[in-house]
Amino acid sequence: MTYVYRFGGGVSDGGKGDKNLLGGKGANLAEMASIGLPVPPGFTISTEMCTRYYEDGEQFPQSLRDEVAAGIAHIEAVTEKRFGDPANPLLVSVRSGARVSMPGMMDTVLNLGLNDDTVEGLAKAADDERFAWDSYRRFIQMYADVVLELDHGAFEEALEIAKEDNGFTLDTEMSAADWKALVAQYKALVEEQWGKPFPQDVHDQLWGAVGAVFGSWQSERAKVYRRLNDIPANWGTAVNVQAMVFGNMGDTSATGVAFTRDPSKGDRAYYGEFLINAQGEDVVAGIRTPQYLTKAAREEAGAKPASMEEAMPEVYRELAAVFDQLETHYRDMQDIEFTVEQAKLWMLQTRSGKRTAKAALKIAVDMANEGLITREEAIARVDPAALDQLLHPTLDPEAKRDVLTKGLPASPGAASGKVVFDADTAEKRAAAGESVILVRVETSPEDIHGMHAAKGILTARGGMTSHAAVVARGMGRPCVSGAGSLAISAKDKVLRCAGREVREGDTLTIDGASGEVMVGEVATVQPELAGDFGTLMEWADAVRRLKVRANAETPLDCKTAREFGAEGVGLCRTEHMFFEADRITAVRQMILASDEQGRRAALDRLLPEQRSDFTAIFEVMAGLPVTVRLLDPPLHEFLPHEEAEFAEVAQAAGLDIDTLKRRANELHEFNPMLGHRGCRLGVTYPEIYEMQARAIFEAAIDVAEKSGEAPIPEVMIPLVATRRELELMKAVVDKAAKLVFAERGREVDYLVGTMIELPRAALKAGEIAEVGEFFSFGTNDLTQTTLGVSRDDAARFLSTYVEQGIYAKDPFVSLDVEGVGELVSLAAERGRATRGDIKLGICGEHGGDPASIAFCEQVGLDYVSASPYRVPIARLAAAQAALRK
C-alpha cells in the first residue's frame, strides 16, 4: 500500500478529489501544483497511515520510512538542496491536514532541518546571518513545544527578557548576535526540561514531528472540536512535509492569510492581512499587528502602515490574479495562506473559507447569480443550523463581557434584563415596561406566562430539550439551561456563583447561542432578514418535497411561523392554554371534582375560553392544516400547591379545603410522566376530550364563516399504545363533530389521528392505522421511552456518552436513527400497509434538526414540524435532503 503522495516540481500524485485520503490541505496543495500555481514541493503522508499508526501502537512501519526517504529525495531534486547538508541545507515544514478544516486544532512545525551545522550553511546560502539564527530559534521554540511538549512559557519568557535587556519592542529589532545568544539559552532550556540535548539529527527531528502531528489528532482540543462539529474520530489526519519558503528574509519578504471574499459580510472584496519580514505563525498568533492587504481596507480602517497593494504592488497583482483563479477553479470562497520570499510569491494553502451565516447566504446567492455555481449548489452551500444566527438578536462582538458562568446553549439569541425568580414577577415587571430575565432552578408549564413575558430564560437544571429549552425555542426566546454552577434561592431571591451574588433586580445578559451568562448589560445586534435570505428560501422551497409546519400554540407563535414560511401547525399543545391565570382555577376544579357532574360544570366554564383560543389560531392559519393535541400532561402539574390556591378552588367548587387536599393526595403519582396522562385521561374522563373537540369544531366553523377559508383541524390523541384507545377517543371526537355540525348547519373537513410516542404504538402501527387517519411522531417522548432516558435529567451524563461513542450525538437533539429511527421507519411502513393515504409527520424537537430531517426525507414522511424560529432551518434542510436523495 502507498502512504506517500508527492506534489510540486511538475508532479501531482493526488488532487482536490482526494480529501479523504490526503486531507484537505494535501489534496489542495496537489491540486494547486497541478494547475500551475507556485507551490513549494513536498509530499503528503495519507490519513490511512494515521489510522495504522494508532493500530500499530504509535509505531512507523519500515515501508513508510522508505517512502518518506523517496519523498525527501523528490523535494531535494526540485529545490537542489539536501536535507541535513551543512553547505546547502533543505528545510521543511511539517503540518497536519484533516479531511475537513480544523483551524488551530492540530500541530505544525516550521524550519525543520536546522541544527548547529545547517544554521551556518543557511546563513551563507542566504547571505543573511540574522535570518538564519532567527529561523533556528523559531524552530527550537516550536519543536520544544509541539514535539517535546516542554513548557512553552519558559521560552516566551526568555525571549521577552532578551528584548527588555536590549530595550527592544519588536522581534525584528533583534540582531544576529542577539538570536545566537537566545538559541544558546533555548538549547539549555531544552536540556534542563527534557534531560537530553536538543536533537541534532535532522531525520530524528522529522520523525519526531510526524509523530507529533499524528498525536495531535487525539489531543483534547481536537477531540472537543470533532465532537462539536460532528467529525468522526476514525478519519485521522494526513501529514504534509513541504520545502520551507521564508517570509522572514528581510523587507522584500512577507507572509499572509487572505480570503477571496469578506468572510463576515460576504462582500466581493479581497479580505486579509500580511506582515513584512515574518513567518506564518506571527500573523496567526498575533505576535505583531498585521497590515491590510488592500489600500481600500487600510483607508476604511484609518490605518497608517502601508497595505500590501501599496508596499509590494507587483507581488500583490500576482496574488490577486491567483485569488481569482482559485475561486473560479474551486467555485467557492477560498481561505489562502501565502509567503513572499525575496519578492517571489509562494502558495502554501487554499481551502473553502469559514464564514458567518450572513456571509454564507450572500456568497451562495451572489455566486449563483454570477453563474459560478447552480442554484442547487447554492442551497447545499449554506449550513441550515447556521441560520439561527440570522433569526435572533446576537451579542455585539465588540462589547465587553463579564462572564459569570456557562450553561447549555438551549435556545439561540441574546438578551439582557433584570433578574426575576418567579413567573408572576416576570409578568408584572414586563407589563410595567421592564426587560427581565427569568431565572429558575427548572421551569414547569406553570411558568409559561413568565417565560412569555421574559426577554430570556436561565435555568440551573435541564438539558437542551428540557421544558425550558423546548418552550423557549418555540417562543423565540433566548435560553441557557443546565447552568449547574448556579445556586438559586427563589425564596431569598438570589443566585450565587463563583463567590458572587446576583439579586432580584440586578442585570444579567444571556447568550443562548454560546451558553454564556454575563453580569451586567451587553449590547445586542438585531437580526437582518434581508434579500439574500428570502432568495435562498425561495430556491429551497422550489426543490424540497417535505412540507414544513410549526409547533405553535398562540396566535403570535402562528403569525411568526407563517412569516417564516410555515405551511400549517404540526403541533398545537393545548395544556399551555389551561395554565392561563384566568382559567387555572376552573381547570383545578375540574381535576379535583369527585364526579362527572362536577367535572362538566368546570368544563362548561372552560369551553368558551378554549373556543376563543382555537379561533385565534385558526384565523392566522386559515386554509392550512392545524394539528391540535388534546390534553396530554399528567394531572399533578395542574394541582394547587399553596394554601391560598386550595382556598380559591374550594370556593369555586363549593367544597371544603380538606376534601380537596384529600382528593389531590389521591391523584399523586410516583412516576407521572408514565402515569395518568395523554389518552388515559380521555379514557377515564372522556368529557375532557369532548369539550376540547367541541371547542375545535365550533372555532373552525366560526373562522370558515368569517373568512370564507376553513382551517383543516387534525385532532391528535396523545400517548396511544393500543388500537382500542384510539378507537374510543375517535368516537368521542366524531360524536362532538357530528353534534356541532348539526347545530351549526355547516361542516368542515377534519382528521383524527395519533401521536406515535411509545414503542408499542410503533410496533402496532398497522392496527392503529385502521382507526387513525394520520400519525405524528412525537420523538421527544419516543426517544425517552425507547432509550429509557429522561430528557429533563439526562444532561448530566449524555455528554460523557457522546464523548465515549455510545451515542453519536445527544439523542434528544439529533434523532437516534439506529434505534428510535428504526421504530419510526417500521411504524411508517406498517401504517401505510394498512392505510395507503395515511399522513405521516414528525413534531418532536427533531423536526428542526437538519440530520433528523434528512432521515425523515429518507423514510418518506409527509412533513416535519419545528418551533417557529426553526422553520427556515427546516425548509433549507428539507431542500438539501431532497437534493441528496
Side-chain angles (χ1 to χ4, degrees):
M1 181 180 276
T2 301
Y3 290 117
V4 170
Y5 297 78
R6 302 163 301 158
F7 56 82
V11 174
S12 280
D13 292 336
K16 65 179 180 181
D18 296 315
K19 285 187 178 178
N20 290 0
L21 180 67
L22 304 180
K25 190 174 291 178
N28 288 332
L29 283 168
E31 184 72 14
M32 284 196 292
S34 72
I35 61 173
L37 294 182
V39 174
F43 60 87
T44 301
I45 303 173
S46 73
T47 56
E48 290 174 343
M49 185 62 237
C50 183
T51 306
R52 181 172 171 183
Y53 174 73
Y54 283 105
E55 287 173 353
D56 292 352
E58 301 183 20
Q59 298 295 314
F60 297 113
Q62 184 57 46
S63 61
L64 178 67
R65 294 180 182 273
D66 296 339
E67 286 188 62
V68 167
I72 291 289
H74 162 67
I75 304 175
E76 289 175 336
V78 177
T79 60
E80 298 181 346
K81 297 176 181 178
R82 295 288 174 268
F83 193 48
D85 181 0
N88 188 24
L90 167 68
L91 304 187
V92 296
S93 62
V94 180
R95 299 169 184 254
S96 62
R99 289 190 202 183
V100 293
S101 175
M102 295 174 59
M105 292 302 110
M106 290 182 294
D107 289 330
T108 293
V109 178
L110 303 179
N111 305 309
L112 191 141
L114 279 172
N115 58 26
D116 294 349
D117 297 326
T118 56
V119 68
E120 302 286 358
L122 182 65
K124 284 177 188 164
D127 193 25
D128 188 340
E129 195 178 23
R130 184 199 171 282
F131 149 72
W133 285 93
D134 175 29
S135 299
Y136 194 17
R137 71 90 189 174
R138 289 172 183 271
F139 172 53
I140 295 172
Q141 187 171 353
M142 193 174 270
Y143 197 90
D145 178 28
V146 170
V147 182
L148 306 182
E149 298 181 336
L150 306 183
D151 177 14
H152 181 67
F155 293 85
E156 283 294 325
E157 188 180 359
L159 171 59
E160 289 306 312
I161 290 169
K163 287 198 293 190
E164 278 178 28
D165 289 349
N166 286 289
F168 299 152
T169 306
L170 301 173
D171 297 0
T172 48
E173 297 173 88
M174 298 276 278
S175 67
D178 295 328
W179 287 134
K180 208 178 276 191
L182 190 63
V183 163
Q185 278 186 265
Y186 276 6
K187 285 161 65 182
L189 274 172
V190 169
E191 189 150 7
E192 178 188 316
Q193 291 188 23
W194 195 41
K196 289 184 275 186
F198 185 80
Q200 295 290 306
D201 185 301
V202 295
H203 295 283
D204 289 347
Q205 293 174 0
L206 177 62
W207 288 104
V210 171
V213 171
F214 279 153
S216 67
W217 177 253
Q218 294 293 2
S219 68
E220 279 309 308
R221 66 178 185 271
K223 286 178 182 176
V224 169
Y225 188 92
R226 288 202 298 272
R227 188 176 72 245
L228 293 176
N229 292 277
D230 299 323
I231 299 170
N234 62 359
W235 277 6
T237 181
V239 176
N240 299 287
V241 179
Q242 191 175 16
M244 280 295 300
V245 287
F246 299 98
N248 59 331
M249 289 184 78
D251 290 343
T252 60
S253 301
T255 188
V257 175
F259 295 82
T260 56
R261 302 193 186 210
D262 185 329
S264 294
K265 300 175 186 171
D267 296 340
R268 192 172 184 182
Y270 305 138
Y271 179 100
E273 299 170 325
F274 87 116
L275 273 174
I276 291 173
N277 195 16
Q279 285 198 333
E281 77 266 24
D282 297 344
V283 178
V284 177
I287 294 167
R288 287 162 52 191
T289 304
Q291 295 152 244
Y292 290 91
L293 270 190
T294 65
K295 181 182 177 184
R298 177 187 68 75
E299 288 175 344
E300 189 182 337
K304 289 183 179 175
S307 66
M308 186 177 183
E309 187 177 5
E310 295 162 302
M312 297 179 163
E314 287 181 21
V315 180
Y316 172 79
R317 277 194 294 275
E318 186 185 350
L319 182 64
V322 169
F323 287 172
D324 293 343
Q325 183 180 351
L326 284 172
E327 185 170 279
T328 303
H329 183 77
Y330 281 95
R331 299 162 63 247
D332 196 7
M333 183 261 277
Q334 294 297 289
D335 170 2
I336 291 159
E337 289 181 20
F338 64 90
T339 286
V340 181
E341 181 181 284
Q342 295 182 323
K344 177 166 174 53
L345 176 67
W346 293 98
M347 304 307 297
L348 302 184
Q349 176 172 298
T350 191
R351 60 188 174 192
S352 292
K354 303 276 185 192
R355 62 206 79 179
T356 63
K358 183 179 179 182
L361 273 175
K362 180 166 179 55
I363 290 167
V365 171
D366 283 355
M367 285 187 168
N369 289 335
E370 290 162 19
L372 193 61
I373 60 175
T374 64
R375 287 183 176 185
E376 287 76 15
E377 286 174 306
I379 292 165
R381 288 276 171 92
V382 179
D383 176 8
L387 292 181
D388 259 348
Q389 293 177 31
L390 301 176
L391 306 177
H392 301 271
T394 53
L395 291 182
D396 182 345
E398 305 298 319
K400 287 184 179 177
R401 306 180 186 201
D402 178 7
V403 178
L404 177 68
T405 187
K406 197 167 184 180
L408 298 170
S411 181
S416 296
K418 292 182 177 176
V419 169
V420 295
F421 292 93
D422 66 273
D424 292 341
T425 306
E427 190 173 50
K428 201 178 296 176
R429 288 202 165 195
E434 289 185 58
S435 295
V436 299
I437 302 293
L438 177 62
V439 179
R440 304 284 282 153
V441 174
E442 59 191 343
T443 63
S444 77
E446 283 186 83
D447 294 320
I448 192 75
H449 58 295
M451 296 172 76
H452 194 266
K455 294 291 184 189
I457 299 137
L458 170 63
T459 69
R461 285 212 294 262
M464 289 170 67
T465 54
S466 63
H467 175 266
V470 171
V471 174
R473 279 196 292 273
M475 292 176 170
R477 298 287 185 279
C479 176
V480 174
S481 63
S485 60
L486 297 179
I488 296 169
S489 172
K491 183 184 172 189
D492 298 330
K493 298 189 182 301
V494 65
L495 72 83
R496 297 180 178 86
C497 181
R500 301 172 74 175
E501 281 191 357
V502 177
R503 297 194 167 271
E504 186 158 282
D506 292 345
T507 299
L508 277 184
T509 298
I510 62 168
D511 185 349
S514 70
E516 286 184 332
V517 180
M518 291 144 279
V519 175
E521 184 167 353
V522 180
T524 56
V525 180
Q526 290 303 308
E528 293 176 36
L529 300 181
D532 294 326
F533 176 85
T535 301
L536 193 79
M537 287 292 109
E538 194 179 305
W539 295 350
D541 290 342
V543 300
R544 67 181 165 87
R545 183 196 63 83
L546 277 166
K547 297 287 186 186
V548 177
R549 301 193 195 179
N551 298 341
E553 49 260 0
T554 67
L556 180 60
D557 288 346
C558 294
K559 187 171 180 294
T560 303
R562 284 208 79 160
E563 286 170 359
F564 283 143
E567 297 159 303
V569 171
L571 175 63
C572 173
R573 305 173 180 92
T574 55
E575 56 270 15
H576 291 149
M577 302 167 179
F578 280 51
F579 278 106
E580 295 290 340
D582 58 353
R583 61 188 82 168
I584 187 66
T585 301
V587 173
R588 287 168 171 167
Q589 181 186 341
M590 179 263 295
I591 291 167
L592 294 170
S594 57
D595 56 24
E596 185 180 334
Q597 185 183 350
R599 284 191 294 276
R600 285 195 179 275
L603 288 166
D604 286 344
R605 288 174 56 198
L606 287 170
L607 175 62
E609 303 282 0
Q610 274 275 272
R611 184 171 56 238
S612 68
D613 291 330
F614 294 132
T615 300
I617 288 168
F618 291 158
E619 282 174 347
V620 180
M621 287 291 170
L624 295 175
V626 177
T627 305
V628 180
R629 183 178 72 184
L630 300 186
L631 194 64
D632 179 46
L635 294 177
H636 83 100
E637 290 190 3
F638 298 100
L639 293 178
H641 303 290
E642 307 293 332
E643 199 71 29
E645 293 172 339
F646 273 109
E648 192 177 350
V649 177
Q651 187 179 352
L655 296 169
D656 66 273
I657 291 176
D658 289 339
T659 301
L660 287 183
K661 284 184 176 178
R662 189 165 58 251
R663 175 73 179 138
N665 195 49
E666 288 168 6
L667 290 170
H668 173 76
E669 294 182 277
F670 287 102
N671 193 352
M673 291 311 292
L674 295 178
H676 195 188
R677 56 168 286 217
C679 68
R680 298 158 194 171
L681 290 174
V683 170
T684 48
Y685 309 131
E687 54 274 13
I688 298 175
Y689 281 6
E690 182 187 312
M691 179 277 288
Q692 289 193 290
R694 171 172 278 277
I696 289 167
F697 296 123
E698 288 180 350
I701 289 173
D702 285 345
V703 172
E705 289 176 345
K706 189 175 171 184
S707 70
E709 206 174 9
I712 306 160
E714 297 177 351
V715 183
M716 180 197 282
I717 312 299
L719 212 73
V720 161
T722 69
R723 179 190 185 283
R724 180 63 176 152
E725 285 171 318
L726 185 57
E727 188 176 46
L728 287 169
M729 294 302 95
K730 186 175 187 300
V732 170
V733 174
D734 288 342
K735 182 182 175 185
K738 197 173 179 182
L739 284 169
V740 172
F741 295 165
E743 290 165 8
R744 300 293 296 270
R746 180 166 185 159
E747 296 187 6
V748 293
D749 292 332
Y750 72 96
L751 300 176
V752 179
T754 186
M755 184 181 276
I756 303 288
E757 50 195 322
L758 297 173
R760 191 186 193 282
L763 294 170
K764 304 302 286 183
E767 288 181 10
I768 294 171
E770 292 170 7
V771 181
E773 295 162 304
F774 69 87
F775 289 166
S776 182
F777 292 95
T779 50
N780 296 351
D781 267 354
L782 188 57
T783 298
Q784 285 198 117
T785 53
T786 302
L787 301 182
V789 172
S790 164
R791 65 177 174 157
D792 290 321
D793 301 314
R796 67 191 71 176
F797 67 82
L798 271 181
S799 59
T800 306
Y801 265 52
V802 174
E803 283 170 20
Q804 298 287 337
I806 298 169
Y807 297 133
K809 297 180 185 176
D810 181 334
F812 292 106
V813 174
S814 196
L815 195 70
D816 163 36
V817 171
E818 292 179 355
V820 179
E822 184 78 13
L823 286 171
V824 171
S825 183
L826 190 74
E829 183 185 324
R830 292 181 178 179
R832 285 197 195 103
T834 299
R835 186 187 292 267
D837 63 348
I838 192 167
K839 187 182 285 190
L840 301 171
I842 182 175
C843 62
E845 282 300 294
H846 301 98
D849 168 60
S852 305
I853 290 168
F855 170 78
C856 294
E857 173 68 32
Q858 186 185 323
V859 175
L861 301 190
D862 297 303
Y863 68 87
V864 297
S865 189
S867 55
Y869 279 84
R870 293 187 76 81
V871 165
I873 293 169
R875 288 164 66 195
L876 182 55
Q880 291 179 349
L883 288 172
R884 280 196 296 271
K885 194 174 181 184

